[in-house]
Amino acid sequence: MDIVNIYTYTGATGPRRQNAAFTYVIETDTVKGPATLSKTEYEEDITENQAELRVLLAALHRLRRPCMVNIYTDSWYVAAGYEKKWVERWKENGWKNAKGEPAANREEWQEMAELLGTHVFQFFVGVKHSYYAWMQAETQKRRESYV
């Protein structure tokens, strides 16, 4: 099984709705040596949590077969969805939270569950990596190009 590292970064901050840019880098080894793929996107009127989910979803859509995926993110929210078993409980409860209300960002979480369901994965939260400064700069450039 291939090992893939996914690095995500979003310029969104806080719970308010905002316009935000976000970047991902996918890194893996191939028979020809290391390979990377990156993309920066921009969305209007989203929250920080939605941006964190959407950047990871965009990266996961690029994977074509089951892999061992290491996910590097600054988002405790995304990691907690799996590490604290929120996604598991929401699925069992018809995508409703403990109060019986629809889970926040339900569509994104459902898509994430589907995409991650074919992979073995783990989260690394807050780990500064060699792409970090570059991703910050790319995200800022994209955001500024829309302002």
Side-chain angles (χ1 to χ4, degrees):
M1 187 177 277
D2 293 334
I3 298 173
V4 173
N5 296 319
I6 295 177
Y7 304 89
T8 66
Y9 179 82
T10 176
T13 57
R16 71 185 183 346
R17 298 191 76 73
Q18 59 199 287
N19 299 338
F22 43 83
T23 301
Y24 68 78
V25 174
I26 301 171
E27 174 186 68
T28 191
D29 286 324
T30 70
V31 293
K32 295 180 181 179
T36 60
L37 172 72
S38 65
K39 187 167 186 182
T40 302
E41 298 183 10
Y42 180 84
E43 284 199 41
E44 296 180 347
D45 196 36
I46 62 172
T47 65
E48 178 182 10
N49 288 342
Q50 287 173 321
E52 296 287 0
L53 289 164
R54 289 181 188 175
V55 68
L56 181 53
L57 286 169
L60 289 170
H61 274 287
R62 300 302 305 243
L63 304 182
R64 300 292 178 233
R65 61 183 173 271
C67 305
M68 294 179 65
V69 183
N70 298 312
I71 301 166
Y72 294 84
T73 180
D74 284 338
S75 177
W76 289 102
Y77 173 73
V78 173
Y82 285 90
E83 292 176 356
K84 293 188 176 190
K85 306 212 181 295
W86 296 345
V87 172
E88 199 174 294
R89 286 195 302 270
W90 292 331
K91 284 168 82 172
E92 290 170 359
N93 295 326
W95 293 96
K96 295 193 188 274
N97 64 22
K99 295 179 182 177
E101 301 165 345
N105 303 310
R106 174 184 173 170
E107 294 80 16
E108 288 90 347
W109 283 113
Q110 286 177 307
E111 187 177 354
M112 184 86 60
E114 184 179 324
L115 292 172
L116 283 175
T118 62
H119 305 289
V120 175
F121 60 92
Q122 60 184 339
F123 286 91
F124 297 90
V125 181
V127 175
K128 298 301 181 235
H129 45 77
S130 60
Y131 299 108
Y132 196 81
W134 177 83
M135 293 172 78
Q136 277 184 307
E138 285 298 302
T139 300
Q140 184 63 25
K141 280 193 295 190
R142 178 59 61 96
R143 187 182 166 288
E144 289 171 356
S145 72
Y146 283 93
V147 176

